Each structure stands twice: as structure tokens, then as C-alpha cells.
Amino acid sequence: MKKEDLQALLNDMSLEEKIMQLVQLPGQTFEETAAVTGLADMEKAKKMKSLAGSVLGLHGADKIKAIQKEYMENHPHHIPLMFMLDVIHGHDTVFPCPLAQGATFDPEVARVGAQVQAKEAAADGVQVTFSPMADLVRDARWGRVVESTGEDPYLNGLMTAAMVKGYQGDSIADKEHVAACVKHFAAYGAAEAGRDYNTCEISEHTLRDQYLQGYRLPISEGARLVMTSFNTLNGIPSSGNKWLMRDVLRDEMGFDGVLISDWAAIAEMVNWGFAQDLKEAAALAMDAGVDIDMCTESYSGSLEALIKEGRVSEALLDKAVMRVLELKNDLGLFEDPYHGASEERYKEITLSKDSREKARDAVRKSLVLLENKEGTLPLSSKKIALIGPYVDDKDTHSAWAITCNKENNITLRQAFEEEFAGSDVEVKYSNGSLMVDNDSDLGFLKFHSDTFREDNDRLMKEALEIADECDTIIMCLGESLMQSGESTSRAKITLPQVQLELFGKVKEKGKKLITLIFTGRPLDLGDIPEVSDALLICWRPGTESGHGIVDVLTGKTSPQGKLPMSFPWTVGQEPLYYNRFNTGRPKPFEGASIFTSRYLDCPNEARYPFGFGLTYSEFEISEVKLDKTSITRGSSASDKAIASVEIKNTGAYAATQTVQLYIRDMAGSVVRPIKELKGFKKVSLGPGENSQVSFEITEEMLKFWTASNRFESEAGKFKVFIGLDSATENEAEFELV
């Protein structure tokens, strides 16, 4: 539909029709036996159902086509309904969770995963996904860590921009693609104390210099929607923050797409004490520029009165409605209201061999090897015991893979049985313990069993018996599916106690011990790293979990993942991140000093830092060489320095290593981080092979939000670091003059 036709349509719509384009209803509203959630007035419910502009939470091609057909027949202007769904890291074929994708340090993995998800979801009737999440996260206590790509704004931007490209392709009208929604704007990952839905207390400088960076790239990639966050900034809830949404998002970042609230976020401004009632909340949200009210009556129940009273202008309403109509038009819904949804095509493409192989490759690239003492891995033993609740558990996706059928997930046991069928390798299996202990609080879910101790003792006895019979034990441990995700903040980020008890008993056997950890966040690992001969972080790996993990364990491929978030010694270090400030009294690396910024009982540094991850081989990196030691400020883009290192594979295995570039601004108009990731390159080398790795350093890379609140560079001295993780001290100096 042409722009002038859209304008004519808007001009002909009634006030009620326009308002209802800004209303999103939950999917159960459209199920045959369900009424609108929370609405006692059934006539009102019927009216909302017949005019609402969008719906979330539904999928199924035939179901959606039937709903769309009836809706359009009854709508006064036959405007199509828009169907949205949380497709976060998989629809049917589930890729590793976003945090695990961050561990790949490979935007192409994220793009391919999003492309597969979009193809399956679109065939199943979905038109918009609420992904990617670009929130910067520095606190492992926060449950939604699993949805983020980690603690670094540069990495977040690259990964989420790649996801947008994968979801949207070259055109969102294409039947194999969907519209992407960047969330949660803004700074939701800075929730105080890591507690979900909490306030955020950060300065405007930190907001601009750190937290907003990760949203800029996916928005510039063309994401068609942005979602408001639940938190406050400067005491103002995001859904009512006019400065944030209009001045920053729309004017500064140039976003001209649809701005949608998170679930009930507009109405929750009343709970915050920012709005007296839903009517005031609606006025504040409209003034801030929020186009769609997700699942409340704020807009549907208040906008007409607000417009008639002159508190909200109809011109403001029209702008919001036009953005919604333009999104529907760009999706091609006026020509094909089903957006290519097809039960036949969905059945044909979903969980295809190609999609599974892409998911398997993503698993292989996401696994992070933290320990590998004396070359324990790859596996060489002929008698192996797999012990732990993740031996045969199919819940290897995350709680945000909401459409996942876990029966499609490949467990470790399945993969091991496939791998060693007909060989001389003997593998025994035991769950060893239940997933969580009887007293573990999982929020609204509590694990209760009158026979808990009896069941657990039986499992442990079985595990210890097979441990005695084997040379190598692989412990398969981790968080429960319900211990990470939305509303799963944890004050203690350890493994469940029942699993720690199992680990303690097994380690007493003195056998070769390999530990696999399934998790949606960094954990306090206790003595597991010291006791384990090898330690592999598996994250929430998804559909092809078993196959991908076994590929790495057996040495078919060397692990190459790098930590996208720092792993702490203890939860007391949180929030923990590598790109921190030095402070005026930094703790010395050597020697003792009382009056420095330090803990009495714990190191300042992470147990395993951002960017850390081993391969099966060893690598040496030369000193950093610069082709020149100064760049001229304000000169042409061609004035740049080249920083180079030689990297050599000195081990016995072919492997892929991620070489990382960090820069430190030694002095600025505001305090600068001790290091900031500015580039990385993957290098694949065979034993004895070497390669030169070079990075360009430009003035643009040296810009930051200065004391004058401008994004610019400042003349001065800098250090460049090139190494294999953020703790590298391999450095050289240059100057911006």
C-alpha cells in the first residue's frame, strides 16, 4: 500500500479504531473458550477483540489464519491483525541461549540462528519477534542474564545487530522473515541488586557511555520495533520517560519505528507511584511516544477521554497509529495478511536436517573450556561414567524457548550412545541426584516430595557404584531450567545443594573427573575448578546440545568459546565486569597495602575473566607492534595505526583461537575504564602454524562520552592490548595528538 493510501485509511478511521490499533491483547483472548484477561464486561471484551491492533503469544499457521480471516471480515476497514511472539533463541530448532551465543564471539552464529528461527516462526504464523535483548548485564544475580550476550557493549552491539539482520533479512515482507524488536530500552540489565523489575541508579554519563551503546547498532541495522523496559531511570519509569524515548531514542538514535511497552509496563507506572491511575499513565506514555500498550486497558480505557479533554492531541495519536500501520504495510499484511503462514510449509521446514546442523555448530562454538589439566580432554578413556541430573535431562533449552518441544532435544546420553555404538568404549549412566534439593525455592515453583531423601539416596548409591567401575567420570551438573530467565534473580549463584553433595561424594573416588556445567548465568563454582581435571561450561545449549557437546568432548572439534561475562569467586563480587574504573587507590598486583580498594577475603579480579576460554591446543602471542605511535585528531579516516601480533599454535591439535584487542585511554575529562574491547579476530591454525593478526586503530574507536556530554575523542596517551582474554597485559602505547 502506498503512503498516500495509508494516510487516506488513517483519515477515514474512527477515533475508536485508531485507539485500538495501539492496543495489544494476550493470545488467550482469541482462543475459542477464553475471555479477555481481566475484563468482566464481556461486551467490552468482544469490542476489544474485534478492534485490537495486535496480539502476542499465539502461533500455529492454521489457527492464526482462521483468527485473521474472522478478524478482518469484521473489522470496519479490514485492517489486518499483527501477531507477535517471543522467539528468543529458537522456535522449534532451539539454538544456544543468547548468553551462549555471546560466548561464540561470532556474529555470524547469531545471524544464522535468527534466520533459522525467523523461517520456522514465520511459517507458523508469527510476524514479529520480541528479540534481540541488547541489555548490558554486569550482575550475574539477575535472572535475565540468559537472554543477554554479556557484559561488554561492543560485543552486545555486534551480536544483536547480527540477530536483527537474521530475523529481518533484506525485507520483512519476505515470508521467511519477521520484524525484530530491540529490548529493553533502557538499562534494564542494571537492575539494582540484580533483582528483576527493580530500579536502576546510574549516571547519565554511564548510561550513555556504557548502557546505550549496545542498543545503537541493532537499531541502526533497522530493527522495526523497540520495547520499553520495566525499570526507572532518574526516578522515571521508562514507559513514561519522554527524554529517554523522544530525545534519545528517536531524535539522537534516529529510531522511527514502533515503540511498544513491555507487558503491563504502562499500567505499572501506577505501582511505581509515577501516575495516579491508568488514565494518567496513558497520558504519560503517549507523551513519551509509546505506540503500543501491551496487555493493559491503559490506552483502550483512557485515550478517548484524554483526547476529548485535550490532554492528548489527536495529532499525537495519529502519528502513533501511522507507525503501526506502516509496520503492518512493510510486513506486507495488506496484500498477504497471513505473511506466508502455512501449515504444510511449516511441517516441511521445521527441525530440518540443515537447521539442526546449524544449531549443532552453534553449540560447538559456544562451549567454554575453563580447565583442562594435563590434557584430560579430548576423551581417551575406554571406561566412562556419565553422572548427574543432566545425563538424560531434555530441558537443555532455556525458559525463554517458549515454543520448544523438549522431546526434540538431544541429551548427552543419546549422543554418547550414538557416538560409541559398536565401539570398545564402555559408557555407564546415572542421574546421581535430583535436579534441585527439597528445600530449594524456585519462586512460584517449589520442589516437594515426601520421598525426596529416599529417591536421592537411591540415585547417589547407583552413581557411586558405576563410578567405581570406570576410569573417567563426567559430571553433568547445572542450574534447573527454572533457575534462570525472567523473574529468577538469585542471591546465591551456586549449583543446587543436592548436586554439590553428589559432586562431593564422587570426587572422593579419586578418578579422572570432567565436569560439565549447564547454566544461564556465571556461577560461584566453589571447589569444582580445583577438583576437576577438566571443566566445560555448556550454558543452555538447546536442541542439539548432546551432539554438539560430544563433538567437543571427543575431539572432533576443539572448543573455542570465550566467556561473555566474568565468572566470580563469590557472589559478593557482583556486579562484576572487566571494564571497570581503576579507582584512586587501586589494589597493587604485588605486595600488600591496607588502604586500597580491595576485599579482605577475596580477590578483586574475576575467577575467570571476560574473554577467557581454552582450546585443546596451546598458543603463543608475540609482543604488540605498532606501525606508528601517533594518530592526528580530526584528520581523515585514513590516518590510523596498525597494531599487530604474531600468534603461533604450539600445541598438538588444530584449533581456533579468538585474538582480542583492548584499548585504554590513560586520562580523560571523565574517568575511563581500565580496558575496553574494540575488536577481535578468529584464527584457525594447525599444530606448528603461525599467523600475523592485525587491527586498525582509528580515531573513531577512541571516542567516548566526554565531560561536555558529547561523543568525541580527546587528545592524549593510550594503551593497546592484544591477547586471548581481558586480563592480558600484552601492551603497547600510542598517542592521539
Side-chain angles (χ1 to χ4, degrees):
M1 188 180 289
K2 295 179 180 179
K3 176 76 174 180
E4 54 266 31
D5 295 329
L6 280 180
Q7 187 62 55
L9 173 61
L10 177 64
N11 294 342
D12 198 52
M13 292 167 66
S14 69
L15 179 60
E16 183 181 38
E17 285 179 77
K18 289 193 285 189
I19 290 169
M20 291 305 296
Q21 282 299 304
L22 310 188
V23 173
Q24 182 166 93
L25 296 178
Q28 60 262 41
T29 304
F30 291 85
E31 302 288 353
E32 290 183 11
T33 59
V36 177
T37 302
L39 291 177
D41 186 335
M42 294 309 296
E43 283 302 311
K44 185 177 181 181
K46 186 177 180 181
K47 177 67 69 87
M48 289 183 70
K49 181 177 174 180
S50 66
L51 293 176
S54 60
V55 58
L56 85 163
L58 291 180
H59 64 100
D62 287 349
K63 178 197 295 185
I64 282 175
K65 288 167 74 172
I67 290 171
Q68 185 75 289
K69 182 175 184 296
E70 180 182 0
Y71 175 89
M72 290 184 67
E73 286 173 352
N74 294 324
H75 192 279
H77 283 89
H78 312 295
I79 298 173
L81 189 62
M82 191 157 43
F83 295 85
M84 306 188 188
L85 184 70
D86 289 281
V87 183
I88 306 302
H89 63 107
H91 190 63
D92 287 289
T93 306
V94 181
F95 280 66
C97 66
L99 189 63
Q101 292 185 42
T104 69
F105 273 61
D106 189 344
E108 183 63 9
V109 168
R111 188 196 67 79
V112 168
Q115 185 179 49
V116 170
Q117 295 160 44
K119 186 176 181 179
E120 292 183 347
D124 206 25
V126 180
Q127 299 156 1
V128 176
T129 175
F130 297 126
S131 178
M133 187 177 103
D135 300 330
L136 179 70
V137 183
R138 293 171 160 181
D139 195 331
R141 294 173 296 179
W142 193 48
R144 299 191 80 164
V145 164
V146 70
E147 287 181 76
S148 168
T149 54
E151 71 184 51
D152 183 77
Y154 175 78
L155 180 63
N156 284 353
L158 291 176
M159 299 300 288
T160 53
M163 291 178 192
V164 169
K165 183 64 176 174
Y167 287 130
Q168 296 190 163
D170 295 326
S171 170
I172 59 172
D174 186 283
K175 67 180 181 180
E176 293 190 350
H177 290 92
V178 297
C181 176
V182 174
K183 63 185 187 183
H184 307 82
F185 203 78
Y188 187 33
E192 192 174 82
R195 197 172 73 244
D196 215 350
Y197 317 118
N198 205 358
T199 190
C200 296
E201 286 296 329
I202 53 179
S203 67
E204 183 180 344
H205 172 264
T206 299
L207 174 70
R208 288 183 175 280
D209 200 57
Q210 299 293 317
Y211 284 87
L212 292 184
Q213 280 197 54
Y215 305 106
R216 293 181 188 277
L217 207 54
I219 288 172
S220 68
E221 183 61 50
R224 298 307 306 273
L225 299 93
V226 167
M227 182 184 290
T228 68
S229 55
F230 285 120
N231 55 279
T232 61
L233 280 173
N234 260 354
I236 301 176
S238 293
S239 295
N241 195 325
K242 186 176 181 178
W243 169 80
L244 182 64
M245 299 305 172
R246 291 199 182 275
D247 295 354
V248 177
L249 177 63
R250 294 208 184 275
D251 294 345
E252 293 182 19
M253 293 188 179
F255 177 69
D256 61 358
V258 170
L259 180 60
I260 184 171
S261 80
D262 207 334
W263 185 294
I266 293 177
E268 287 174 10
M269 288 194 285
V270 178
N271 292 343
W272 277 109
F274 187 66
Q276 295 184 43
D277 51 31
L278 290 186
K279 188 175 182 180
E280 186 178 10
L284 289 165
M286 283 297 293
D287 194 40
V290 181
D291 298 319
I292 296 179
D293 173 22
M294 185 189 291
C295 299
T296 81
E297 293 184 70
S298 301
Y299 281 3
S300 63
S302 305
L303 279 185
E304 185 171 354
L306 286 167
I307 290 169
K308 289 179 178 177
E309 293 167 10
R311 293 172 61 186
V312 172
S313 72
E314 191 161 357
L316 187 64
L317 172 68
D318 286 352
K319 288 181 180 179
V321 175
M322 179 56 79
R323 284 191 287 265
V324 173
L325 294 177
E326 286 174 341
L327 177 57
K328 292 183 177 184
N329 191 44
D330 290 346
L331 281 164
L333 299 185
F334 289 100
E335 291 72 36
D336 175 13
Y338 311 120
H339 192 62
S342 164
E343 199 74 29
E344 292 74 23
R345 190 165 67 89
Y346 167 70
K347 290 176 181 177
E348 179 182 319
I349 66 172
T350 193
L351 287 162
S352 69
K353 181 179 180 181
D354 179 63
S355 295
R356 279 187 173 273
E357 179 49 44
K358 288 173 178 174
R360 183 172 182 165
D361 183 59
V363 175
R364 291 190 289 249
K365 291 176 177 175
S366 70
L367 304 178
V368 182
L369 184 65
L370 296 184
E371 300 285 349
N372 195 28
K373 300 162 188 171
E374 299 180 357
T376 297
L377 288 175
L379 285 170
S380 58
S381 174
K382 300 296 185 181
K383 291 187 176 182
I384 302 169
L386 257 66
I387 296 173
Y390 273 103
V391 166
D392 210 23
D393 194 284
K394 286 185 171 288
D395 284 328
T396 53
H397 53 291
S398 85
W400 269 116
I402 61 176
T403 55
C404 169
N405 178 355
K406 69 178 185 180
E407 295 308 313
N408 295 318
N409 295 349
I410 303 299
T411 68
L412 280 168
R413 180 168 186 159
Q414 286 175 280
F416 264 85
E417 287 176 343
E418 287 179 28
E419 179 67 24
F420 294 112
S423 74
D424 61 349
V425 177
E426 182 181 4
V427 186
K428 296 180 178 293
Y429 309 91
S430 172
N431 286 348
S433 76
L434 299 175
M435 184 67 73
V436 294
D437 61 89
N438 199 38
D439 298 321
S440 287
D441 187 355
L442 298 180
F444 61 90
L445 292 176
K446 289 182 183 288
F447 183 85
H448 290 296
S449 171
D450 293 335
T451 61
F452 166 78
R453 183 50 59 189
E454 179 182 327
D455 293 342
N456 206 65
D457 288 348
R458 175 180 52 79
L459 290 171
M460 185 177 289
K461 182 175 182 293
E462 174 186 88
L464 296 178
E465 287 174 354
I466 70 167
D468 285 332
E469 300 170 10
C470 297
D471 304 322
T472 297
I473 300 170
I474 302 177
M475 297 296 295
C476 309
L477 311 174
E479 289 186 304
S480 157
L481 172 70
M482 299 307 297
Q483 284 183 298
S484 64
E486 186 171 352
S487 193
T488 61
S489 299
R490 297 180 62 195
K492 299 176 182 178
I493 51 173
T494 60
L495 290 175
Q497 185 59 36
V498 68
Q499 295 185 40
L500 293 175
E501 291 175 5
L502 171 65
F503 183 84
K505 293 291 186 182
V506 171
K507 74 181 181 183
E508 292 174 359
K509 296 294 181 181
K511 302 294 182 73
K512 188 71 75 174
L513 189 59
I514 298 165
T515 305
L516 312 181
I517 303 291
F518 293 77
T519 181
R521 55 157 58 86
L523 294 173
D524 170 357
L525 294 170
D527 70 345
I528 290 174
E530 283 75 23
V531 173
S532 301
D533 295 288
L535 175 59
L536 189 69
I537 302 299
C538 301
W539 310 110
R540 309 295 311 177
T543 301
E544 285 294 312
S545 55
H547 286 146
I549 293 168
V550 169
D551 287 345
V552 168
L553 292 177
T554 56
K556 290 181 180 177
T557 183
S558 176
Q560 59 179 276
K562 298 286 187 176
L563 291 180
M565 283 189 74
S566 304
F567 268 52
W569 290 92
T570 176
V571 70
Q573 292 177 284
E574 299 293 337
L576 179 66
Y577 48 99
Y578 82 92
N579 50 351
R580 62 191 184 277
F581 294 154
N582 201 35
T583 81
R585 294 189 175 189
K587 179 184 176 183
F589 287 105
E590 295 181 5
S593 180
I594 297 175
F595 299 107
T596 59
S597 180
R598 67 188 180 112
Y599 295 106
L600 289 175
D601 53 357
C602 177
N604 285 2
E605 293 73 34
R607 189 174 199 170
Y608 297 103
F610 174 86
F612 180 82
L614 303 174
T615 72
Y616 287 154
S617 209
E618 301 292 332
F619 289 83
E620 289 181 356
I621 286 186
S622 70
E623 293 182 354
V624 179
K625 294 182 179 179
L626 287 166
D627 70 334
K628 60 184 186 180
T629 56
S630 67
I631 305 172
T632 302
R633 185 171 182 257
S635 61
S636 68
S638 61
D639 188 16
K640 56 197 173 189
I642 306 296
S644 303
V645 294
E646 289 284 335
I647 181 170
K648 182 176 182 179
N649 183 342
T650 60
Y653 295 92
T656 297
Q657 184 59 267
T658 303
V659 182
Q660 301 160 40
L661 171 79
Y662 296 87
I663 290 178
R664 179 177 181 180
D665 188 343
M666 299 308 294
S669 59
V670 294
V671 174
R672 306 293 293 124
I674 61 170
K675 283 192 186 88
E676 292 183 292
L677 182 69
K678 293 294 183 179
F680 54 85
K681 291 184 178 180
K682 287 185 172 290
V683 182
S684 298
L685 297 172
E689 291 183 346
N690 66 289
S691 176
Q692 179 174 288
V693 180
S694 299
F695 297 91
E696 292 184 354
I697 301 175
T698 64
E699 182 189 356
E700 187 67 27
M701 295 166 64
L702 310 180
K703 290 181 179 180
F704 65 102
W705 286 91
T706 64
S708 56
N709 208 24
R710 292 198 296 265
F711 187 68
E712 58 189 354
S713 66
E714 292 179 342
K717 294 181 179 180
F718 294 80
K719 285 186 177 182
V720 54
F721 301 83
I722 301 180
L724 304 183
D725 59 59
S726 61
T728 181
E729 294 298 324
N730 189 29
E731 66 180 64
E733 293 189 6
F734 69 97
E735 191 171 6
L736 182 65
V737 298

